[in-house]
Amino acid sequence: MDSLLDLSDRLYLDVADFAHSTPHWFQWLAEVWTEAGLLLFGVLFLAGWWRSRDGASRMMALALLAPLATAFGYVVSEALKSVVDEERPCRAVIGAPAALVECPPHGDWSFPSNHSAIAGAAAIALALSWRGIVWLTVPMALLMAFSRVFVGVHYPHDVTVGLLLGALVAFLVMRAAERPVRSLVETARSSRSSAVVWCAGRGPRAHAAAHAAAHSVAHASTHADRSERARHGAH
């Protein structure tokens, strides 16, 4: 165990030295990403919900569960952080260069990384609810985890465990809650409240019916125009 921690210390020093060798604009980007990256996951949650409104009930259930599963990932990470009182590397590692951002106060422990746990949970939750987006969310999560070491506030083992923990919790929550939430979505879609139906979406049948009705209206309009032109031509 001590050898693994020593390895993490050395990796932290290597990343910290690399961070200080990069241009100031690159350091600024890392500082922005380490916080703003979480907001991008939030945007993807909203986009996933919106695109699922005309999808099957299972799709909507997973889209609604994605942010909830991510929240569970954070809660589990925070609970573990309160048990493992690991000091931040920006104070504990001797000879380390100054962190690029302000070192969190004593008592805001380092293990595991909450940012990484949220990123790992969001990446998996979105991948389960939105086919094909894994190629975006996983690199985002890895970049988020690396940025926490880059700016100097976490050890490599903090972010590694955070990613894995968040991903595992999100996966379990999504699988366990999919069926009951799908039932709730189906109930909401048959509700008499227009607001509830708008939030849950009408599903693929209503979307197909609306599309067919619009096509029928367009076809009737085209037919009427042709008849009108034919009458004018006869005159």
Side-chain angles (χ1 to χ4, degrees):
M1 184 67 177
D2 289 340
S3 61
L4 290 176
L5 294 178
D6 290 340
L7 175 61
S8 191
D9 280 3
R10 291 196 297 272
L11 288 174
Y12 173 79
L13 286 171
D14 289 342
V15 173
D17 289 338
F18 167 70
H20 279 267
S21 71
T22 57
H24 288 295
W25 64 264
F26 191 84
Q27 296 176 12
W28 177 81
L29 285 178
E31 294 172 26
V32 171
W33 174 255
T34 198
E35 299 294 344
L38 297 180
L39 297 178
L40 184 53
F41 278 117
V43 172
L44 290 176
F45 287 143
L46 289 173
W49 160 74
W50 184 260
R51 70 184 292 273
S52 299
R53 293 174 70 252
D54 294 327
S57 296
R58 179 178 181 273
M59 287 180 57
M60 176 54 76
L62 291 174
L64 293 174
L65 275 172
L68 180 63
T70 301
F72 267 93
Y74 165 75
V75 170
V76 173
S77 175
E78 182 63 25
L80 183 57
K81 185 188 287 284
S82 65
V83 174
V84 183
D85 299 345
E86 179 189 76
E87 188 58 271
R88 295 277 181 166
C90 38
R91 268 192 298 273
V93 177
I94 298 174
L100 298 182
V101 298
E102 183 179 356
C103 193
H106 178 74
D108 185 350
W109 307 115
S110 190
F111 179 88
S113 164
N114 283 342
H115 281 70
S116 299
I118 293 172
I124 295 303
L126 283 165
L128 290 173
S129 62
W130 189 338
R131 180 176 298 179
I133 204 172
V134 65
W135 302 110
L136 172 63
T137 59
V138 168
M140 283 174 57
L142 293 174
L143 189 59
M144 171 63 67
F146 178 75
S147 73
R148 301 304 289 165
V149 183
F150 186 91
V151 300
V153 295
H154 276 294
Y155 292 100
H157 67 269
D158 295 339
V159 300
T160 301
V161 172
L163 280 173
L164 295 175
L165 180 65
L168 176 61
V169 171
F171 178 82
L172 294 176
V173 170
M174 296 284 282
R175 290 305 186 198
E178 175 191 334
R179 183 170 296 178
V181 174
R182 182 171 58 189
S183 297
L184 289 175
V185 169
E186 291 171 352
T187 301
R189 284 179 167 178
S190 61
S191 172
R192 294 181 178 180
S193 170
S194 58
V196 172
V197 173
W198 184 85
C199 290
R202 295 186 178 277
R205 292 182 180 179
H207 177 71
H211 180 75
H215 179 74
S216 177
V217 170
H219 179 74
S221 177
T222 301
H223 181 72
D225 288 342
R226 288 176 179 174
S227 299
E228 185 67 21
R229 285 197 297 271
R231 287 197 297 269
H232 282 294
H235 290 298

